[in-house]
Every structure is written in C-alpha cells, then in structure tokens.
C-alpha cells in the first residue's frame, strides 16, 4: 500500500509541475531559512552550557538600590567579596575572578602577535571546562610571571611542535611584562561567551592593582562554583551579609547569583533585579520569524492543496467506494505532503550549505551544518514532521472527508462558503508579510538613526589605538611626530572611550547631597587637556584643563547632567569631595551620549590624567584619512619600531555597540524579502487555480460582451481584497509590536504613517502584479476553447 | 441477497426538499441480473448508491445478506463494500495517476491480498478482458471501451458477490457496449449478482428482470427470462 501511495504521490508531483514547483520552491526557501535560524538559535542556546559543572557555576552580580525601592544590577563586585565567599561559606567550593578580555601584543623573540586574553587563577580551569593540554596550570597561583596560553596561540608562537617547545618559554607582553608559559589549554569552543587566548597570573594583576583588595571597589568580576544542591538565593543572601559587614552603613548594596550559563542570554533585569530578557529576545525574535516564514509556505501548501482538492475528489470517491477507509486516505495524503517536504528538505540542505558562509559573515558566528551529527538529524526530522503535519494535515482531512456519493455524482466541485479558511489563510499570510516588511524597515531606520545620531561628540575621522606601556612612555614623542604628518589634525589620550564610559564611582559628595542620592554613580573618564578640541565637545561654562598644569590634577570637570543632579548653582569654582579629597569644579561641558542609546545620558566627570587614559586617539582631516593613516603607520615604525600598530575607527567601534540591532536589521531585510516572495508565490498558485476554475464563467462573460479590463477586475478583486484586508489588520499589529521594541531605547525614531503605508502599498502592488499576470492570461484566452471543453 | 423495506431517501437543499426514494420495497435474490430503468430523476442512481452503501437511506430498512445495514458505521459499511461489492460507473472512474494494472490491483490492496496473488489475479483478469497488452498504460491512453473493461476488471477483482453498474454502456459506442454487456452476462452466468441502472431497453434485456421506477417507487417488474 505504501508503494502505491508513494507511486501516486510521485506521479502527481510530475504531472502537476507548476503546483509542485511552487510548493517545493516555497518550502525549500523557508526550510533553508528555518534550518539556518535553528543552527543560529542552537548556537546561541548552547553558549556557555558546555561546562561540565554548568549547573553549579554562578556569576556574582551586585545590586544597587535606587530611588523608589528599585534596583540596578551590575556585573562589577569587590574582589574581597568573591574571596570571602569561598573562605566563609562551605557551600562555595571555588571562586575565580573574571577579567575583561583585552587585546595585547605578545612577543616571542622577533615574532609579535596580537591576541586577546585576561588574568585568572588555576580555579578558572577547575570551574570551567577548558581542558589543559600540557603543563601545570596551578603555577598561575604560585608564580606572578606565569601564563597559560591557548593551543592556537601556542601554535602561532611555537609552530607545530608547540607541545614540546612552548612550556617553560618566556613571552613578552608589551603592556604587562615578561611571563613564562606554564600551561597550554585547548582553544575555547566557539560557543563560549568568553574567548581568551592567554590567561596570565591573577597575582600579577593584583600586585599592580591594589585597589582590587578594597571592599568598596566594585571594579572586579567573578564566578563561583557552588556545591551540589546549594541554594543559590540563600548563598547570595549569606554573601550579601558578609558584604554588608564591610560596607558603609548608608550604602546597602546587594549580591545576586546568576547561573553562568544564563548570563549570556539573560542579561537584562527589571527594577526588582528579576531577569527580564536580554539577548534571548533576539533569539526568540529570529526563531519566531523563521517559524512565520515556514507557516507562510505551509499556508501556500494548504491553500494550493485545498484549491485543487476537486481534482483529487474523483480519486477519493473511487478509493472510498472500493473500500478505502478515511484513515488510509489521511495516510495517503500525508505521505504526499511528506514527499514534497522531503524533497524540499533536501533542497533546503543544499541551499543552507551554500548560504552558510554568508550567514556566518552576517551573524559573526562559526555555524556548521554537520550532517554526521545525530542531533542534526533529530532537528531535521523534527522540522520534517512539523512541516508535513502543518502543510499536510488540513488538506488530508478535507480530502478524506469527501463522500463518494457526492464526488461520483459530480456535486463536489462547487462548495459555496467553504473557502473561508483559504481566504483567512491568505489574509494571515499578508499580515505576517507586512509585519516582517514593516519590521525590517523600522529596524533599519532605527539602526540608521543610531549610526547617524548627533551624539554631541565627534566620532568621525577618528582612530583609536590601545595605549600600552610603550605608547605611554613615548607619548610626547609620538604626538609631536604625528602632528607633523599630513592629514593628522590632533592627537589625544582618553580612557575609557568617551562614547562608552565604562568606569563609574559613587564616591562623589557635594553640599546638600541627600541620602537617597548615596548610590548615584558618576561615569569617569581620564583625559588629556586637548580632549574637547579633538572630540568637538563644547564647554558650557568655566574652562577645561591646561596643558602641563599639575595643579589641575586636583580639579574636576563635570557634564551638565552631573551638575543638574548635584543641583549646584554657578558650579565653576565650587568644591566637591572626590573619594574623600576636595576637588574644585573648573568647568562644565555640554552633555553628549556617553553610553549606548538604550540609556539616558549619565552624569560624568572628566579628569586630567593622560597616563591612566587607556586609548590614543588620532584625528584626521575629513578628506585626508588615508594620508593620515599612512602617516600614523610611518610614525609608529619610526618611534616605536617594536610595537605593532593596531587601530580601529571610532565610528566603526561605536557601531559594535549595536551589533545585535544591526544584525536584526540585516536579517529582517532577508526575512521581509522572503516573506513577500513566498506570499506572492502562494497567490500565484491560487490565482492560477482560480482562473482555471472560473474559465467557463470567464468565457460566458466574454461571449456576453465583457472587456478584458472587466474580466481582470472580476478575477483580481477578490484576491486584492484579501491582501488589502491582511494589510489593514497587519498595520495595527506591527505598530504595536514595533513601538514596544522601540521603547527599549531611550532615543528612538518616531513611527510615521509612511513606514506602514509604503510596505502596504508595495505588498499590494506586488500582489496585483502576481495576480494580474494570471488573470490577464485567463481574460485574453479564446472563450470557445473553454466552452468547447465543457 | 438484498431486501429493502419502505426505503426513503430525501435530499435537502437550501429551500427545496426532493424525495428520491419513496418507501421503496425491493428484493433481489443471489445470482439475479436485475436491470433498473426509469426516467431521469426517478431515483435509479440513488437506489444504486444506497444498495452500494455509499449513501445511506433517510429511513426504512436495507438488508444485505440478511444483515441490516442502516445501523452500521462508515467503517462497517466500508468493510462490507470491499469484500462483497463491485462498482462499474458510466464515466469509468479510473484513477488517472495509476496504470491499468495498478487500477485493477487497487481493491486488493485494501483487502490485503498478498502481492504474488494480486499479480496473478490482475493478469488473469486483464487476459480475460483482452487488455493485457495495455497493462502499463494510463487511463487517458485508452479508448472508452478499454477503460470500461478495466473498470469492470477492477470491479470483479475481489470476487464480489454483487456488482452494481450505473449506466455501464452510457459512454460507449454500440460495439464496445455489447462487449461490456457480454462480460457482465458471463459474470452473472458464473453466479455473480448484478444490479444495473440503464436507460437502454436493449441493455436492460441482458438481465433476468427489469424494474421500472417512477418518482422514487417501483412501478412495474418484468421477468425477461426465468431466473433459475
């Protein structure tokens, strides 16, 4: 029987080429998109979940109470809290500090390579599943000059025999000093949110940064390994109690333990420090978008299958008459849809394989479509079953329901009122298509807005270079040389980047500071005296720092927001307490966006300290960027011949903050194109069948004097009415969803009528062309042919 | 074999009610060849559909081999159908996507006849019907007469006790019509009961008995030849 079913399915596939093609093309595209999206979702989902002790690894976070009982969650915690958690609480088995990864030049003899890494202890490798391939990683705890490096970095530095040659060798880190390679670990997997090519001794970090030992300095980050069965919330409370013992009584900060594996996807918290989302929202959005595309093509399948049901009715009638049960017919039609899905999945796998390199470029991932993995087949089979059921269940039900007596007496071909579902599905398709198109447009507009928004600070024609010890030492010489080069307008040092001020302090006191203002964090940035000139930031009052003035190191400059919060009138000349010492306010700079556009402008302080400023900024003339870059390279070669030059454009780096939004925008464009294509593919199929069904009516109308124009109108109006209805329903839905998305930003575009009207117009125009093609063909056909056939 | 008692079939459309069978009583014995005649709309085809269990009566009783069919589920009727009944239609109703061989084989798939037996039985029938040379052709590649012979082969492939034929010669020329009638007669001679609806007096006389219907009732019955 199965053979009979597959045979008839195959013959139908061949005999109904147009129908098969529409279904296979539509399903293949949407299945390929679904498959690729699933790969991406699976990759995101698996991030940080590969650690064997994943269930017991927690990231320690700090909560800060704000006005009105709300809480703010920060990753930074004081290092002593981490260490105390282990020594004081038996359920804390291990802890490790987590340093921010940074790029560094690592040199072995004449070979210098750029790699990113951080500091750590041996517990880092005990807690996380990063296997040690050779050497003794406990040396990180014993020796300040110990370093562990990745297999990849070892191979780069020591060639193919790294296993024998690397351990015991000295490498020079330009900014930190000399280290001995003590261990080599396997490369971190692609789905690790942390990527470190080197881990140097935490002891070295600690000895150079004694602030890390302060209970009040939250500049460290860390993770804990809890015992099996330990209650994370209770442990967090105990750690919080330890923390409070060492805190200022007015300042009650809390401790939160978040599963390390959740940190990557769930990075956003509400005002009560409950997880509200984060990257997971993008994963869900793209997962849903892929599912919507799959639904659109399944709707095509359902509509086409039910539209041509009358063609299969005779077969159903005959089969039932000679003894086929309803179940056997359902099975038969499900096998038919299964066969189309099967072929489409084959095509989809080929499309996915071909598109994967491009997808990896867009998503910045290393996704693989590995068909030898059993789990991959579990996924593919699940998609196969889901699609077969989504596409095949309803047509199978409709077809198997036919009563042979109706079919064989010819009363089945017309079923007035039975098209509601079909019409409903077309409407739904266009609701989904509009949602995806408007979504793509609005996301794109918001991304453009972010990219081009006047931040109040210059970011164009600026390159930034991480300032290591060599650069700091040679800064004056370097600056003098650079300023002689054509195209270079100015050079300065700032740290951290003023476009994303990462460091903050609550250690500012001013006259009249209220208790509820105790936890207000001021962003900090260390600058040189020419900061305002390089970044085109206007001064509102007072002055900025003077070059070479040692006196100015005890002064401070704030932005307008900081002054507003402190409520100081005529601030210039007034004094605030900065970390317990008085500092005079010498100037106020105009507000500029110092964090991402998800946040409001933060209060900020600008300090004079070119040695603590971590980045060198070089500003070039608008039209001479490449000349300036050549000058920059030449200067580095002459002043710092041993320091490799790595620079980054500030505007490009700024765009990285919005990687997810830019990715969303790019993918949304693809989804929009596919959705309208698939919806119109369905319309093409439906209008073809509609024209075929109505051929007799068209002929009679034509014989009675209808013009081609009348006939095209008669045939098209129903489809276009459905498309129009879909768009009308889709507009408020997409408005609601997109305004909700825009609310996550503090600074957004306004939703305009044209953003909905244009996609709706485009959708209806494309739909009209699709339907028009078929209807014109039907309208100009010779009526005699169709009447004779009758 | 067949007995009906006050069989009624009423069709309802939006505003119209049509009585196709009006308290019809009928008895057909095993081995009979009964021709049913009457003007269009008199209820012949409805009767055939009810007898063939592809339509159910609105009221009354229908006994097939002494079993009342009215209370049976669709599955039960389907079971009786596939083991006991064969259908021949005016418009042949072959499945276009299946070859001659596969069309004839189809009923045996539903009665789960083993593959080798199926092959032998289909070949035997195709030989009998003189269409063996067309076994791999599709219905559209055959003449009307050939298509009807395939349809007859399909109707008898499961050795049904009853064949229901609805205008089996209606779409055929006289020569092909004669062929089909001869085949039906031969089957009847071998003991298969046949109930045939026809407009043709000539064809009707191939049977043992002619029943004439009007307005959903049997109005006359004539014996053509003595049924033994």
């Amino acid at each position: 029987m199965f053979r009979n079913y597959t045979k008839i399915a195959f013959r139908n596939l061949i005999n109904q080429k147009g129908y098969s093609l529409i279904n296979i093309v539509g399903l293949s595209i949407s299945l390929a998109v679904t498959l690729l999206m699933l790969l991406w979702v699976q990759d995101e989902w698996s991030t940080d979940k590969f650690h064997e002790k994943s269930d017991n690894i927690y990231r320690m976070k700090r909560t800060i109470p704000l006005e009105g009982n709300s809480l703010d969650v920060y990753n930074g915690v004081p290092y002593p809290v981490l260490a105390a958690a282990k020594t004081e609480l038996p359920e804390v088995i291990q802890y490790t500090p987590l340093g921010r990864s940074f790029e560094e030049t690592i040199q072995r003899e004449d070979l210098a390579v750029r790699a990113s890494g951080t500091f750590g202890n041996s517990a880092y490798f005990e807690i996380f599943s990063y296997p040690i391939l050779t050497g003794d990683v406990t040396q990180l705890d014993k020796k300040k000059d110990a370093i562990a490096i990745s297999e990849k970095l070892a191979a780069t530095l020591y060639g193919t025999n790294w296993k024998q040659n690397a351990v015991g060798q000295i490498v020079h880190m330009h900014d930190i000093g000399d280290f001995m390679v003590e261990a080599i670990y396997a490369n971190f997997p692609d789905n690790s949110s942390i990527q470190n090519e080197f881990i140097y001794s935490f002891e070295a970090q600690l000895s150079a940064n004694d602030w890390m030992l302060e209970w009040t300095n939250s500049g460290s980050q860390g993770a804990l390994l809890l015992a099996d069965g330990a209650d994370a919330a209770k442990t967090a409370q105990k750690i919080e109690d330890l923390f409070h013992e060492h805190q200022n009584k007015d300042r009650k900060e809390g401790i939160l333990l978040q599963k390390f594996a959740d940190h990557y996807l769930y990075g956003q918290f509400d005002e009560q420090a409950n997880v509200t989302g984060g990257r997971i929202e993008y994963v869900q959005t793209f997962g849903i978008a892929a599912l919507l595309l799959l639904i659109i093509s399944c709707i095509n399948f359902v509509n086409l299958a039910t539209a041509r049901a009358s063609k299969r009715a005779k077969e159903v009638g005959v089969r039932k008459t000679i003894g086929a049960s309803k179940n056997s017919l359902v099975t038969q039609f499900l096998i038919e849809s299964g066969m189309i899905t099967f072929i489409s999945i084959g095509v989809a796998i080929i499309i996915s394989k071909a598109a994967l390199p491009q997808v990896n470029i867009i998503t910045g991932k290393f996704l693989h479509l590995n068909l030898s993995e059993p789990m991959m087949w579990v996924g593919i089979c699940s998609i196969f079953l889901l699609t077969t059921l989504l596409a095949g269940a309803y047509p199978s039900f409709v077809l198997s329901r036919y009563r042979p007596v109706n079919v064989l007496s010819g009363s089945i071909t017309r079923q007035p009122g039975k098209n509601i579902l079909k019409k409903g599905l077309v409407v739904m398709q266009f609701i989904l298509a509009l949602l995806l198109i408007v979504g793509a447009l609005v996301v794109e507009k918001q991304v453009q807005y972010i990219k081009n928004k006047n931040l109040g600070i210059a970011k164009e024609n600026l390159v930034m270079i991480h300032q290591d010890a060599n650069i700091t030492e040679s800064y004056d010489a370097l600056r003098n040389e650079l300023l002689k080069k054509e195209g270079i307008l100015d050079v300065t040092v700032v740290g951290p980047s003023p476009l994303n001020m990462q460091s903050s302090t609550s250690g500012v006191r001013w006259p009249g500071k209220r208790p509820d203002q105790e936890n207000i964090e001021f962003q900090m940035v260390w600058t040189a005296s020419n900061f305002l000139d390089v970044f085109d930031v206007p001064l509102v009052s007072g002055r900025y720092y003077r070059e070479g003035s040692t006196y100015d190191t005890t002064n401070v400059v704030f932005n307008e927001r900081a002054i507003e919060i402190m409520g100081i009138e005529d601030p210039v000349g007034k004094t605030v307490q900065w970390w317990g010492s008085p500092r005079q306010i010498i100037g106020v700079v105009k507000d500029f966006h110092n964090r991402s556009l998800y946040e409001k402008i933060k209060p900020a302080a600008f300090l004079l300290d070119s040695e603590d400023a971590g980045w060198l900024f070089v500003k070039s003339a608008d039209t001479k960027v490449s000349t300036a870059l050549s000058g920059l390279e030449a200067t580095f070669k002459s002043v710092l011949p041993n320091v490799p030059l790595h620079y980054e454009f500030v505007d490009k780096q700024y765009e990285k903050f919005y990687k997810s939004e830019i990715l969303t925008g790019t993918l949304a464009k693809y989804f929009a194109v596919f959705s309208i294509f698939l919806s119109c593919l369905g319309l093409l199929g439906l209008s073809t069948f509609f024209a075929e069904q109505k051929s007799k009516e068209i002929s009679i109308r034509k014989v009675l004097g209808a013009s081609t124009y009348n006939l095209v109108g008669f045939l098209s109006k129903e489809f276009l009415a459905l498309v129009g209805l879909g768009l009308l329903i889709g507009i408020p839905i997409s408005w609601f969803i997109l305004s909700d998305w825009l609310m996550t930003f503090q600074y957004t575009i306004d939703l305009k009528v044209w953003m909905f009207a244009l996609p709706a117009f485009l959708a209806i125009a494309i739909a009209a062309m699709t339907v028009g093609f078929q209807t014109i063909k039907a309208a100009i056909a010779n009526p005699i042919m169709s009447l004779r056939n009758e | 074999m067949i007995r009906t008692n006050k069989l009624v079939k009423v069709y309802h459309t939006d505003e119209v009610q049509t009585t196709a069978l009006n308290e019809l009583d009928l008895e057909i014995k095993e081995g009979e060849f009964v021709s049913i005649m009457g003007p269009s709309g008199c209820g012949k085809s409805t009767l055939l559909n009810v007898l063939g269990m592809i339509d159910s009566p609105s009221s009354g009783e229908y006994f097939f081999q002494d079993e009342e069919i009215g209370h049976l589920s669709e599955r039960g009727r389907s079971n009786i159908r596939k083991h006991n009944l064969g259908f021949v239609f005016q418009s042949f109703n072959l499945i276009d996507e299946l070859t001659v061989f596969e069309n004839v084989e189809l009923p045996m798939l539903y009665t789960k006849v083993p593959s080798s037996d199926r092959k032998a039985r289909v070949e035997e029938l195709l030989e009998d019907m003189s269409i063996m040379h067309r076994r791999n052709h599709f219905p559209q590649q055959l003449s009307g007469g050939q298509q009807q012979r395939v349809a007859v082969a399909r109707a008898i492939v499961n050795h049904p006790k009853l064949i229901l034929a609805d205008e089996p010669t209606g779409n055929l020329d006289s020569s092909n019509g004669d062929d089909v009638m001869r085949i039906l007669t031969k089957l009847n001679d071998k003991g298969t009961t046949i109930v045939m609806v026809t407009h043709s007096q000539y064809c009707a006389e191939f049977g043992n008995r002619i029943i004439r219907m009007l307005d959903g009732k049997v109005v006359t019955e004539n014996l053509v030849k003595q049924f033994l």
Side-chain angles (χ1 to χ4, degrees):
Chain A
M1 187 55 90
F2 181 76
R3 231 176 101 218
N4 182 273
Y5 291 159
T6 49
K7 208 183 284 175
I8 210 160
F10 182 72
R11 285 174 191 162
N12 266 316
L13 212 66
I14 302 292
N15 290 342
Q16 307 282 329
K17 287 187 187 70
Y19 164 77
S20 308
L21 199 70
I22 286 177
N23 274 330
I24 291 173
V25 167
L27 278 176
S28 301
I29 290 175
S30 56
L31 284 168
V33 173
T34 308
L35 203 57
L36 290 168
M37 272 300 114
L38 274 186
L39 279 181
W40 183 76
V41 168
Q42 197 269 341
D43 185 85
E44 290 282 305
W45 199 257
S46 68
T47 297
D48 292 338
K49 294 197 174 70
F50 61 90
H51 299 292
E52 284 165 24
K53 298 168 188 166
S54 178
D55 286 345
N56 295 350
I57 306 174
Y58 287 84
R59 198 170 172 126
M60 192 188 282
K61 298 198 172 188
R62 183 172 52 106
T63 58
I64 300 179
L66 302 172
E67 288 169 83
N69 285 334
S70 62
L71 294 169
D72 220 351
V73 179
Y74 286 83
N75 288 331
V77 290
Y79 169 73
V81 183
L82 266 178
K86 190 197 167 202
T87 47
E88 302 290 327
L89 304 175
E91 62 267 45
V92 178
I93 294 175
Q94 195 50 278
Y95 79 96
T96 186
L98 297 173
R100 281 201 195 98
S101 298
F102 62 94
E103 277 211 351
E104 172 64 289
T105 302
I106 298 185
Q107 194 152 357
R108 177 210 156 207
E109 296 165 6
D110 291 339
L111 178 64
V113 293
R114 200 80 179 154
S116 89
T118 186
F119 53 82
N121 54 12
S122 67
Y124 191 88
F125 296 91
E126 187 187 328
I127 295 173
F128 301 115
S129 299
Y130 301 128
I132 301 296
L133 302 177
T134 183
D136 176 12
V137 81
T138 60
Q139 295 299 325
L140 287 178
D141 306 333
K142 297 170 191 160
K143 291 161 63 179
K144 277 187 191 167
D145 67 343
I147 190 169
I149 60 174
S150 74
E151 182 184 351
K152 184 181 157 207
L153 183 58
T156 312
L157 291 173
Y158 300 100
T160 48
N161 286 334
W162 55 266
K163 242 181 191 171
Q164 290 77 41
N165 300 340
V167 174
Q169 297 297 307
I170 302 289
V171 289
H172 176 69
M173 308 242 289
H174 276 238
D175 203 24
I176 318 173
D178 288 344
F179 286 87
M180 182 180 282
V181 178
E182 294 289 355
I184 295 172
Y185 53 83
N187 296 330
F188 287 12
D190 292 336
N191 58 353
S192 168
S193 66
I194 303 175
Q195 291 293 334
N196 287 319
E197 289 175 89
F198 62 82
I199 304 277
Y200 65 88
S201 163
F202 176 59
E203 295 302 316
Q205 177 72 12
L206 208 52
S207 60
N209 296 275
D210 51 5
W211 56 263
M212 291 182 88
L213 293 168
E214 293 167 16
W215 278 84
T216 49
N217 194 312
S218 300
S220 303
Q221 296 185 25
L224 301 179
L225 178 67
L226 300 192
D228 284 339
D231 184 320
K234 283 182 187 160
T235 310
Q237 186 56 55
K238 289 181 197 170
I239 298 171
E240 196 172 299
D241 294 342
L242 285 172
F243 187 23
H244 286 172
E245 286 172 21
H246 295 84
Q247 265 191 320
N248 177 339
K249 276 185 185 158
D250 295 335
R251 192 175 168 81
K252 291 285 180 196
E253 294 182 340
I255 292 293
L256 180 78
L257 292 183
Q258 184 184 25
K259 265 217 170 128
F260 187 81
D262 292 342
H263 168 79
Y264 176 73
L265 286 177
Y266 299 90
Q268 277 176 12
F269 295 84
D270 65 11
E271 292 182 343
Q272 294 308 312
N274 299 312
V275 168
T276 54
R279 207 175 157 84
I280 186 71
E281 286 162 24
Y282 288 98
V283 174
Q284 285 165 345
T285 306
F286 291 134
I288 290 169
L291 192 65
L292 291 184
L293 272 194
L294 192 61
I295 289 173
I296 289 178
S297 53
C298 286
I299 288 177
N300 284 349
F301 190 102
V302 170
N303 272 348
L304 290 180
T306 48
R308 61 194 281 280
S310 58
K311 291 201 168 193
R312 302 295 302 273
K314 184 181 90 178
E315 183 190 335
V316 173
V318 172
R319 283 182 183 268
K320 274 198 165 176
T321 305
I322 60 178
S325 65
K326 200 172 164 185
N327 285 349
S328 72
L329 287 164
V330 169
T331 311
Q332 177 188 344
F333 291 115
L334 277 178
I335 287 174
E336 288 194 16
S337 56
M339 186 179 268
I340 289 186
T341 312
F342 182 77
I343 295 170
S344 306
I345 281 204
V347 179
I349 289 173
I350 296 169
I351 296 175
S352 307
K353 279 253 181 203
L356 205 52
Q358 189 60 31
V359 172
N360 279 337
I361 292 172
I362 294 169
T363 57
K365 295 254 179 197
F366 300 96
L367 305 175
H368 310 282
L369 189 64
N370 189 352
L371 296 175
S372 58
E373 267 180 36
M375 276 314 286
M376 179 62 72
W377 284 106
V378 171
I380 290 175
C381 289
S382 309
I383 298 177
F384 170 75
L385 286 177
L386 175 76
T387 313
T388 303
L389 285 176
L390 268 179
Y394 180 70
S396 307
F397 172 71
V398 169
L399 282 165
S400 62
R401 208 176 43 170
Y402 282 156
R403 297 181 63 216
V405 65
N406 294 338
V407 174
L408 300 175
S409 64
S411 61
I412 199 78
T413 46
R414 288 190 175 276
Q415 291 189 13
K418 299 256 175 171
N419 286 330
I420 293 168
L421 182 94
K422 206 183 302 168
K423 288 175 184 169
L425 290 176
V426 172
V427 170
M428 192 170 137
Q429 265 185 327
F430 277 86
I431 293 174
L432 299 180
L434 185 82
L435 182 61
L436 289 168
I437 301 169
V438 176
L441 185 74
V442 171
V443 172
E444 173 67 15
K445 282 279 150 201
Q446 175 67 13
V447 169
Q448 285 303 327
Y449 171 80
I450 291 168
K451 278 189 192 172
N452 301 327
K453 181 169 170 48
N454 183 359
L455 301 176
I457 181 168
K459 62 180 190 302
E460 286 76 28
N461 307 322
L462 270 166
V463 295
M464 56 197 287
I465 301 145
H466 186 250
Q467 190 175 222
D468 62 20
N470 296 291
I471 298 177
T472 310
E473 272 169 30
S474 316
Y475 174 64
D476 289 336
L478 200 61
R479 183 165 188 266
N480 290 338
E481 277 305 305
L482 284 170
L483 289 175
K484 287 179 198 161
K485 299 291 177 196
E486 192 190 348
I488 293 181
L489 297 181
D490 211 342
V491 177
T492 191
V493 282
V494 186
S497 169
L499 281 86
N500 184 23
M501 293 189 189
Q502 292 277 0
S503 300
S504 66
T505 179
S506 56
V508 186
R509 309 197 71 78
W510 62 92
K513 186 177 184 180
R514 302 189 308 267
D516 65 344
Q517 291 180 315
E518 200 58 49
N519 290 321
I520 289 176
E521 295 274 331
F522 287 74
Q523 307 306 121
M524 299 180 286
V525 65
W526 287 269
T527 66
S529 55
N530 60 344
F531 170 75
L532 299 186
D533 300 334
V534 174
F535 286 94
D536 295 334
V537 177
L539 196 65
V540 177
S541 59
R543 64 173 177 87
Y544 206 67
Y545 301 107
R546 291 195 184 99
E547 196 172 349
S549 165
T550 49
Y551 171 73
D552 266 353
T553 54
T554 58
N555 291 334
V556 64
V557 173
F558 285 108
N559 67 354
E560 290 171 300
R561 178 79 187 122
I563 297 296
E564 186 192 331
I565 284 175
M566 292 189 286
I568 302 174
E569 283 181 24
D570 300 324
V572 177
K574 303 268 169 67
T575 302
V576 295
Q577 293 292 316
W578 183 272
W579 293 342
S581 309
R583 278 191 186 231
Q584 192 182 41
I585 303 171
I586 56 164
V588 178
V589 299
K590 195 164 174 53
D591 279 342
F592 60 84
H593 288 277
N594 47 20
R595 300 276 291 196
S596 82
L597 294 184
Y598 283 111
E599 298 170 67
K600 287 195 167 162
I601 293 171
K602 299 267 183 183
F606 301 81
L607 307 168
L608 178 65
D609 186 349
S610 57
E611 287 191 4
D612 270 348
W615 295 88
L616 181 73
F617 286 82
V618 178
K619 187 177 192 175
S620 60
D622 210 2
T623 52
K624 291 185 175 170
V625 178
S626 56
T627 317
L629 289 178
S630 309
L632 176 67
E633 281 165 13
T635 309
F636 258 74
K637 267 187 194 153
S638 65
V639 180
L640 294 164
N642 295 325
V643 178
L645 172 65
H646 292 278
Y647 59 82
E648 198 171 4
F649 282 92
V650 173
D651 47 2
K652 294 284 167 213
Q653 208 245 4
Y654 170 75
E655 284 178 15
K656 283 186 187 168
F657 299 157
Y658 303 99
K659 221 165 76 179
S660 298
E661 289 72 21
I662 292 170
L663 175 65
T664 309
T666 312
L667 291 182
K669 268 184 265 177
Y670 283 99
F671 277 114
V673 171
F674 287 140
S675 68
I676 192 75
F677 173 74
L678 291 174
S679 302
C680 286
L681 203 62
L683 267 191
L684 180 71
L686 270 187
S687 54
T688 308
F689 277 106
F690 186 67
E692 238 177 73
Q693 271 185 348
K694 296 265 177 184
S695 61
K696 184 184 166 193
E697 188 177 342
I698 294 167
S699 301
I700 293 169
R701 280 172 183 264
K702 207 165 180 182
V703 169
L704 294 176
S707 68
T708 305
Y709 175 78
N710 296 143
L711 290 171
V712 170
F714 159 70
L715 288 167
S716 309
K717 69 177 181 208
E718 189 177 351
F719 285 107
L720 296 183
L722 293 178
V723 172
L725 181 64
L727 298 177
L728 276 179
I729 299 173
I731 286 173
I733 295 175
S734 46
W735 182 86
F736 177 77
I737 293 173
L738 288 162
S739 25
D740 193 48
W741 177 71
L742 285 173
M743 270 166 64
T744 58
F745 293 88
Q746 289 289 339
Y747 304 92
T748 66
I749 52 165
D750 293 324
L751 287 177
K752 300 267 170 53
V753 173
W754 72 264
M755 292 175 186
F756 300 89
L758 181 69
F761 174 76
L762 272 178
I764 212 150
I766 297 171
M769 277 194 281
T770 315
V771 176
F773 174 73
Q774 278 308 320
T775 51
I776 290 170
K777 211 169 94 178
I780 60 174
N782 184 353
I784 302 304
M785 296 305 290
S786 145
L787 292 177
R788 191 189 288 153
N789 286 339
E790 283 292 317
Chain B
M1 176 177 244
I2 287 172
R3 186 162 56 85
T4 67
N5 182 21
K6 295 191 185 308
L7 207 58
V8 174
K9 179 69 189 178
V10 180
Y11 290 113
H12 298 272
T13 51
D14 289 343
E15 287 170 356
V16 186
Q17 181 176 303
T18 313
T19 305
L21 299 177
N22 190 2
E23 299 196 343
L24 185 141
D25 296 325
L26 179 71
E27 186 165 359
I28 297 171
K29 293 195 168 63
E30 202 162 333
E32 263 196 294
F33 186 158
V34 176
S35 303
I36 301 173
M37 296 189 75
S40 291
C42 71
K44 326 184 276 293
S45 292
T46 303
L47 175 63
L48 207 66
N49 290 336
V50 172
L51 297 182
M53 297 170 221
I54 54 176
D55 204 355
S56 43
S58 307
S59 66
E61 291 171 316
Y62 168 29
F63 293 90
F64 180 78
Q65 292 190 318
D66 297 328
E67 186 179 1
E68 214 285 299
I69 301 304
H71 71 278
L72 287 180
S73 65
E74 172 54 36
R75 185 185 285 265
R77 289 205 297 265
S78 168
N79 252 330
I80 295 182
R81 241 182 1 238
K82 67 184 170 191
H83 289 109
N84 298 287
L85 308 186
F87 291 83
V88 180
F89 304 95
Q90 179 180 357
S91 52
F92 323 131
N93 282 334
L94 297 175
I95 296 177
D96 296 336
E97 287 75 23
L98 296 179
T99 62
V100 165
F101 184 96
E102 289 158 357
N103 263 291
V104 178
E105 184 193 30
L106 190 61
M108 290 191 287
L109 294 174
Y110 291 112
T111 48
K112 299 194 166 39
V113 176
S115 170
S116 55
D117 295 355
R118 289 201 306 262
K119 188 167 181 282
R121 174 72 178 145
V122 174
E123 284 177 354
E124 177 197 335
L125 280 175
L126 294 182
E127 288 287 358
D128 281 359
M129 303 284 165
S130 311
I131 41 172
M132 187 62 182
H133 62 295
R134 296 284 206 171
R135 55 177 286 167
N136 292 324
H137 286 70
F138 287 94
Q140 313 89 291
Q141 297 168 307
L142 305 180
S143 69
Q146 287 170 328
Q147 288 193 46
Q148 195 60 302
R149 273 184 276 155
V150 176
V152 174
R154 184 181 66 186
I156 62 175
V157 73
N158 271 337
H159 306 286
K161 294 185 179 74
L162 172 67
I163 289 180
L164 298 159
D166 191 358
E167 302 267 11
T169 60
N171 280 2
L172 302 176
D173 59 29
S174 59
S175 161
N176 278 312
D178 278 354
D179 282 349
V180 169
M181 288 317 299
R182 269 194 293 272
I183 293 167
L184 291 178
T185 312
K186 212 166 127 188
L187 285 168
N188 180 240
D189 291 345
K190 287 181 182 169
T192 310
T193 311
I194 294 175
V195 178
M196 176 179 73
V197 164
T198 181
H199 275 113
S200 155
Q201 181 68 31
Y202 170 74
C203 290
E205 287 174 2
F206 278 85
N208 316 117
R209 182 158 55 121
I210 299 175
I211 291 173
R212 289 184 196 277
M213 286 180 67
L214 188 66
D215 297 335
K217 284 187 169 183
V218 175
V219 286
T220 59
E221 287 189 49
N222 305 100
L223 277 181
V224 179
K225 49 196 165 194
Q226 189 61 51
F227 168 63
L228 298 172

